[in-house]
Amino acid sequence: MKAIILAGGHSQRFGTAKAFAKIDGQMFYQRIIQTLETTNMFNEIIISTNEQLADQFDYNNIVIDESYNKDKGPLAGIYTVMKRYSDEELFFVVSVDTPMITGKAISALYQFMVSRLIEDQIDIAAFSENEKVIPTIAFYSPYILENMKDALDSDDYSLKHIYQQVTMRCLDVKGIQSPEYWYKNINYQHDLDSLKQQINN
């Protein structure tokens, strides 16, 4: 399996590139790589980003979005990597602005997907909160590449567009025995300040 860290956003609300923001002295992307490595589940961890940020990572395994899918959001990043490694059986996707993701959560979602692959033949296993899907913490099957391509070629390249077309099942975030902030997105500077307060408390 391969893991994809989505780090190609423009971070306009945050003010600076979120990938390089720090928590406990560690950059978000570095923290996520470390968490992914500790699971021993992935043969490769790939950062999906844009041309402007690519050189700023202290990491070699970088994939830049294809030019004709530039600025088409996380779907473009996921699609570019999955297309390059289309013979891979499964991909785990996590957004770089979810720095507190835990190995426990990743393992639980993987078990959830595997247990439903045969019976439900699912294409995506994602987390959800209050029945709202979190598509940037999810496992994706390469079988949906064509759906992704069609979406990118259309006017609607949202991830919501994709999961309305394929078979998806969700695992509630409340089922994970980790600090409640493990899945929270950092969108604004005050989100990061709040996270630091929660960790210290």
Side-chain angles (χ1 to χ4, degrees):
M1 282 192 300
K2 288 180 171 40
I4 306 170
I5 301 174
L6 298 173
H10 295 292
S11 305
Q12 292 174 335
R13 291 176 294 179
F14 192 72
T16 60
K18 287 184 276 189
F20 312 111
K22 291 184 177 181
I23 191 82
D24 290 338
Q26 194 174 30
M27 292 182 184
F28 284 11
Y29 83 91
Q30 294 171 329
R31 185 182 185 91
I32 294 173
I33 288 172
Q34 186 178 64
T35 299
L36 292 167
E37 287 176 341
T38 60
T39 67
N40 292 315
M41 291 169 60
F42 306 103
N43 55 36
E44 209 167 353
I45 299 168
I46 300 151
I47 294 177
S48 167
T49 192
N50 57 50
E51 290 179 342
Q52 289 74 32
L53 297 178
D55 293 338
Q56 299 180 45
F57 292 93
D58 184 18
Y59 192 70
N60 293 326
N61 205 350
I62 304 283
V63 172
I64 298 170
D65 289 350
E66 297 170 333
S67 57
Y68 53 86
N69 285 326
K70 184 178 178 181
D71 295 330
K72 291 188 177 180
L75 178 60
I78 300 170
Y79 174 77
T80 300
V81 176
M82 286 176 59
K83 182 183 173 187
R84 181 175 294 194
Y85 300 101
S86 57
D87 57 342
E88 190 64 69
E89 292 182 3
L90 205 56
F91 297 83
F92 177 67
V93 170
V94 60
S95 174
V96 79
D97 60 7
T98 317
M100 304 308 292
I101 183 81
T102 65
K104 185 181 291 185
I106 298 167
S107 297
L109 188 62
Y110 175 69
Q111 294 300 327
F112 176 81
M113 177 146 196
V114 168
S115 68
R116 284 155 180 78
L117 272 175
I118 297 174
E119 185 178 343
D120 297 341
Q121 296 183 326
I122 64 174
D123 303 302
I124 301 173
F127 278 106
S128 64
E129 180 186 24
N130 299 323
E131 299 186 5
K132 182 180 179 182
V133 180
I134 306 174
T136 51
I137 312 178
F139 280 94
Y140 286 76
S141 163
Y143 295 121
I144 64 172
L145 268 172
E146 201 59 39
N147 300 88
M148 290 180 161
K149 183 181 183 302
D150 290 344
L152 288 167
D153 290 341
S154 76
D155 293 329
D156 185 355
Y157 34 83
S158 65
L159 286 171
K160 185 177 181 179
H161 184 187
I162 293 299
Y163 61 69
Q164 287 175 339
Q165 296 183 1
V166 301
T167 305
M168 183 181 66
R169 297 288 181 271
C170 291
L171 182 63
D172 196 304
V173 293
K174 294 181 179 67
I176 304 300
Q177 299 301 309
S178 290
E180 62 179 20
Y181 49 73
W182 71 264
Y183 62 92
K184 296 297 185 181
N185 286 103
I186 304 301
N187 292 316
Y188 299 91
Q189 288 287 346
H190 64 75
D191 292 335
L192 180 55
D193 295 338
S194 176
L195 173 61
K196 289 177 178 177
Q197 267 190 327
Q198 286 180 281
I199 292 171
N200 291 332
N201 291 338

